[in-house]
Amino acid sequence: MLDYFGVINIPEDEPLEVILITLFWWWVIALPIHNYNYLKRKGATILKVIVLIVVFIVALGVDTLMDMPDNPVTFILLMGFWIGVVYLLIPTFINKYWKLIALIYIPLFIYFLYLRLFSGGLEAYLEIKKEFPFYVFFLPIPVLFFVWVYEQWKWFRNLKAEKSKTELSLLRTQINPHFFFNTLNNLYALTVKQSEKAPEVILKLSDMMRYTIYEGEKDMVKIKDEIEYLNNYIELHKIRYKKSVEITFNHDVDTSLTIAPLLYIILLENAFKHGIETLAENAFVHINLNEETDFIIFSIENNFDPNEISLSKGIGLQNLKRRLSLLYKNKHELKVDVSNNLYITTLKIAKHA
């Protein structure tokens, strides 16, 4: 239309070229307008890119106008341009290793300036250049690249560790609160009856809650503290039940050993929930904690009513398996045997894992 009204003149032999150039400049102008809000948010970064482009154009202009081999001014501008590009892409790496980069490149740059400006003229410099080629400036790049790769690997490893730590923290919070609710209900009943057992229940429950909240957040605890926690749990359950229940807890381990907290309680909870609570009489739970040369072995044997087995899978055992895989990886073994009305669970954990 502009050509029709004579505002512009499109050569008849090159209409495609003009159309392509027009579309290109339309895209260049329209893109910033379309992404105005994004550009506004990224204003600082865009400004840096524009500055780098200007530096590069100035370097080309200086090199063209001065027409001087290995122009020091052009060299300085190009070095500034490439340093700026790298800083724009990986600012954290540059901020961390700028001293190393400066230690490598400043002596090289000073030596180059000395050869170029004070070696006795252009002819003498060109002769020396044969023995001091420009590729020496690129030799440190692989070293810096491998340092950067190492930093990325270390970051990724830390990220995985943080993910595991966060996941462990979440798994710890998933410990079944069912027991605490039941104990509080029983405590309420004891206080209404003004039973002498009420203070004992309060003390044991307080110790358990303290252990769960404070010790449960630690990476490792002494095994004697874990034993005391399990004993409190068992004693509180004994107060609950009015039916005949046989509960034994035998332990023969070095109490100075350490272990991740709140692992055994999940197995013990399952033994009570799916064993004792399903039986009207003759219920039992036999708990053993001992050690071998390389392993700490925790086992629970309990009977249950096969007709009362729940088909739904609780989060307790899944929680335990996931925690074990994060904490002990290939240094543990969890075995579950079910036969008739007997349930046997054995957990072996490597010492000093």
Side-chain angles (χ1 to χ4, degrees):
M1 185 175 66
L2 292 173
D3 178 57
Y4 177 80
F5 287 105
V7 178
I8 61 172
N9 183 24
I10 299 177
E12 293 182 1
D13 56 337
E14 297 176 347
L16 181 60
E17 180 181 348
V18 173
I19 290 171
L20 290 176
I21 291 172
T22 304
L23 288 173
F24 170 77
W25 283 108
W26 168 82
W27 179 77
V28 168
I29 295 169
L31 197 61
I33 296 172
H34 178 70
N35 294 288
Y36 173 75
N37 290 329
Y38 173 80
L39 296 175
K40 190 176 179 181
R41 290 196 306 271
K42 302 291 183 180
T45 302
I46 292 167
L47 182 61
K48 292 174 184 176
V49 172
I50 292 172
V51 169
L52 288 175
I53 293 172
V54 170
V55 169
F56 185 73
I57 293 172
V58 170
L60 293 180
V62 169
D63 194 59
T64 302
L65 291 173
M66 298 184 71
D67 193 22
M68 182 188 301
D70 296 344
N71 188 339
V73 177
T74 304
F75 191 81
I76 292 170
L77 289 171
L78 288 177
M79 276 194 68
F81 169 76
W82 286 114
I83 290 171
V85 169
V86 175
Y87 182 78
L88 195 65
L89 295 174
I90 46 174
T92 305
F93 178 80
I94 299 299
N95 287 332
K96 186 173 182 179
Y97 288 99
W98 70 268
K99 292 181 180 178
L100 175 63
I101 297 168
L103 184 66
I104 293 172
Y105 278 102
I106 288 178
L108 285 173
F109 180 63
I110 292 173
Y111 188 56
F112 162 74
L113 290 179
Y114 169 77
L115 293 178
R116 183 65 184 83
L117 300 176
F118 306 105
S119 59
L122 181 60
E123 295 297 328
Y125 164 73
L126 293 176
E127 286 297 321
I128 296 172
K129 183 181 176 182
K130 295 177 182 178
E131 301 176 3
F132 183 75
F134 267 113
Y135 67 74
V136 296
F137 284 93
F138 298 96
L139 291 179
I141 291 177
V143 176
L144 295 173
F145 175 74
F146 283 116
V147 172
W148 178 79
V149 169
Y150 170 74
E151 283 290 318
Q152 300 310 300
W153 172 79
K154 192 165 67 171
W155 169 80
F156 182 69
R157 186 185 63 180
N158 291 338
L159 185 66
K160 287 181 68 177
E162 284 297 319
K163 180 180 178 293
S164 298
K165 189 175 180 180
T166 302
E167 188 173 354
L168 274 173
S169 179
L170 179 62
L171 288 171
R172 287 189 185 115
T173 64
Q174 293 177 354
I175 292 172
N176 190 0
H178 176 75
F179 163 74
F180 287 108
F181 288 126
N182 280 341
T183 305
L184 287 172
N185 286 332
N186 289 323
L187 177 59
Y188 173 75
L190 291 172
T191 54
V192 168
K193 295 177 182 178
Q194 297 184 350
S195 171
E196 294 179 356
K197 293 182 179 180
E200 180 186 353
V201 172
I202 292 171
L203 185 61
K204 291 185 181 299
L205 185 61
S206 174
D207 287 342
M208 289 194 67
M209 293 183 73
R210 177 195 57 78
Y211 187 88
T212 303
I213 294 169
Y214 296 109
E215 302 301 312
E217 290 299 315
K218 294 180 179 179
D219 294 330
M220 305 294 285
V221 296
K222 288 184 177 180
I223 202 164
K224 67 175 184 179
D225 295 329
E226 195 75 5
I227 290 171
E228 183 181 354
Y229 181 74
L230 296 176
N231 273 324
N232 283 336
Y233 182 88
I234 293 167
E235 291 302 317
L236 286 174
H237 264 290
K238 285 180 178 178
I239 294 170
R240 281 184 59 203
Y241 296 123
K242 296 181 176 65
K243 58 188 177 183
S244 174
V245 177
E246 180 189 339
I247 304 173
T248 61
F249 182 19
N250 300 312
H251 45 85
D252 182 18
V253 291
D254 179 1
T255 54
S256 65
L257 291 171
T258 58
I259 194 168
L262 304 174
L263 294 176
Y264 299 145
I265 189 63
I266 296 174
L267 298 177
L268 189 54
E269 280 184 344
N270 282 345
F272 278 97
K273 183 178 179 182
H274 302 293
I276 291 177
E277 294 185 9
T278 65
L279 293 165
E281 56 183 11
N282 300 324
F284 68 82
V285 175
H286 297 160
I287 310 151
N288 292 284
L289 178 62
N290 50 59
E291 60 178 305
E292 292 181 348
T293 305
D294 299 316
F295 289 92
I296 302 170
I297 304 172
F298 181 80
S299 64
I300 296 183
E301 180 180 351
N302 64 276
N303 57 348
F304 64 92
D305 184 351
N307 298 320
E308 295 292 333
I309 293 180
S310 173
L311 297 177
S312 62
K313 294 182 179 180
I315 66 169
L317 203 56
Q318 297 174 22
N319 180 319
L320 177 62
K321 289 178 179 178
R322 182 56 183 159
R323 286 183 67 197
L324 287 169
S325 68
L326 290 170
L327 290 166
Y328 293 103
K329 295 184 180 178
N330 299 322
K331 298 180 180 180
H332 78 279
E333 180 185 343
L334 179 62
K335 187 178 179 182
V336 178
D337 292 317
V338 182
S339 59
N340 298 324
N341 67 332
L342 199 62
Y343 201 95
I344 304 173
T345 307
T346 305
L347 173 59
K348 296 175 66 174
I349 296 176
K351 290 181 181 178
H352 315 297

